[in-house]
Amino acid sequence: MLFWQVSTLWQRAVKTALRPFDLTLTQYVILAVIAELSETNDEITQKQISDFSMIDTMTVSNTLRLLEKKGLAKRIPSKSDSRANTIHNTDAGSVILRKAVRIVEEVDAAFFFDTKDDIKMFQELLAKLKAENLVE
């Protein structure tokens, strides 16, 4: 129960910080995942976004539709698969994401630990929990 409570408090703080950008936490995460995957991939699929973020595919699809309506993300035909689309952030999406990342990092810095050692230990423990519970 404690993990749930802390997670809820953190999500509430991030949600409040994202409000001026008219972004939900899910929209923010998807924009961030698109940006991260774009660093190593030319063609990003909804499946890749879902797998990387661990957000279910239907939520990714619905959220991408909203991001497209806001002009923050776009789907363009894939060069390698005529049946698929590749996902990109628009210029406006990239600008908002850069601003939002700074604010979310400030929330994280205020919410989490003061020392680098505590942060490192926390991240290592989270990584261990993820690895031990990841079901393929």
Side-chain angles (χ1 to χ4, degrees), residues 6-34:
V6 171
S7 172
T8 299
L9 290 171
W10 173 78
Q11 288 181 43
R12 190 177 299 155
V14 173
K15 178 182 173 183
T16 300
L18 290 173
R19 194 171 292 132
F21 301 101
D22 190 29
L23 289 176
T24 65
L25 181 54
T26 303
Q27 291 169 350
Y28 168 80
V29 168
I30 289 175
L31 287 173
V33 167
I34 294 167

Side-chain angles (χ1 to χ4, degrees), residues 67-107:
L67 289 169
E68 283 181 294
K69 285 181 184 176
K70 291 181 174 187
L72 303 177
K74 62 185 174 184
R75 300 175 213 229
I76 57 174
S78 169
K79 295 174 186 168
S80 60
D81 183 350
S82 62
R83 300 163 295 153
N85 288 312
T86 184
I87 314 298
H88 295 279
N89 289 338
T90 62
D91 290 342
S94 295
V95 168
I96 284 181
L97 177 62
R98 277 192 299 277
K99 292 176 183 177
V101 163
R102 280 184 294 218
I103 299 301
V104 171
E105 285 175 349
E106 289 174 13
V107 169

